[in-house]
Amino acid sequence: MLAAVILALAVSTGTADFAAAQTVVNDVNAHRSVAHETQLVVDPQLTAVAMDRAADLIRRHYFAHVSPDGTTALDALRTRAYAYGYAGENLAEAQTAAIAELALWGSPEHRDNMLERHYNRIGVAVLRTPENGDLIVQIFSD
């Protein structure tokens, strides 16, 4: 489980906010409960992938599901020999994590990802940057 207290860790040019990441997980699970879907469990391996993806986005100055070298979150899962049948990724960036998360819920494709019934695990990274605000990376799997 993510730390319940505010912890910060320097990652590339961003600062990880574990409390904000836990807030994102709690919010996703609250929405899933309303939708009668199972609660997602935080998975440390998915969280590590989310952190790596977020750091890469910041370090290489891009915002996309496919990196400049053509790799994706699914490639990162395969590299770690992470077994999955279903997996997905959501990305959002805004002035604050709360605003970024609202943008995710406002997008039908991202909302569907967060409510996907095949998923039962999640990893979330929230990185704060002075230039771009907060970046959220959510990784889901079954």
Side-chain angles (χ1 to χ4, degrees), residues 12-64:
S12 296
T13 58
T15 302
D17 186 335
F18 296 106
Q22 184 62 56
T23 298
V24 170
V25 170
N26 293 346
D27 189 58
V28 168
N29 278 332
H31 280 83
R32 288 179 68 86
S33 182
V34 168
H36 305 289
E37 296 297 342
T38 60
Q39 300 287 287
L40 300 177
V41 175
V42 174
D43 183 302
Q45 291 180 55
L46 295 180
T47 300
V49 170
M51 288 294 291
D52 288 350
R53 294 281 295 160
D56 190 57
L57 290 165
I58 292 170
R59 185 177 50 254
R60 296 204 285 168
H61 306 287
Y62 72 98
F63 186 77

Side-chain angles (χ1 to χ4, degrees), residues 3-8 16-20 128:
V5 296
I6 296 176
L7 296 174
D17 186 335
F18 296 106
R128 291 228 148 96

Side-chain angles (χ1 to χ4, degrees), residues 2-141:
L2 295 174
V5 296
I6 296 176
L7 296 174
L9 169 69
V11 178
S12 296
T13 58
T15 302
D17 186 335
F18 296 106
Q22 184 62 56
T23 298
V24 170
V25 170
N26 293 346
D27 189 58
V28 168
N29 278 332
H31 280 83
R32 288 179 68 86
S33 182
V34 168
H36 305 289
E37 296 297 342
T38 60
Q39 300 287 287
L40 300 177
V41 175
V42 174
D43 183 302
Q45 291 180 55
L46 295 180
T47 300
V49 170
M51 288 294 291
D52 288 350
R53 294 281 295 160
D56 190 57
L57 290 165
I58 292 170
R59 185 177 50 254
R60 296 204 285 168
H61 306 287
Y62 72 98
F63 186 77
H65 293 288
V66 180
S67 74
D69 62 9
T71 59
T72 67
L74 297 182
D75 294 317
L77 293 173
R78 285 186 210 105
T79 297
R80 288 174 167 78
Y82 189 88
Y84 65 90
Y86 293 89
E89 174 186 60
N90 280 346
L91 306 175
E93 188 172 51
Q95 186 178 5
T96 68
I99 294 169
E101 188 181 8
L102 283 174
L104 288 171
W105 286 110
S107 160
E109 295 85 4
H110 293 98
R111 181 182 185 81
D112 288 350
N113 235 5
M114 291 185 282
L115 298 177
E116 169 59 52
R117 68 182 32 184
H118 292 101
Y119 296 151
N120 56 34
R121 294 180 282 177
I122 188 172
V124 175
V126 175
L127 289 188
R128 291 228 148 96
T129 68
E131 303 84 23
N132 300 320
D134 289 357
L135 170 67
I136 296 175
V137 177
Q138 299 172 323
I139 307 292
F140 305 95
S141 78

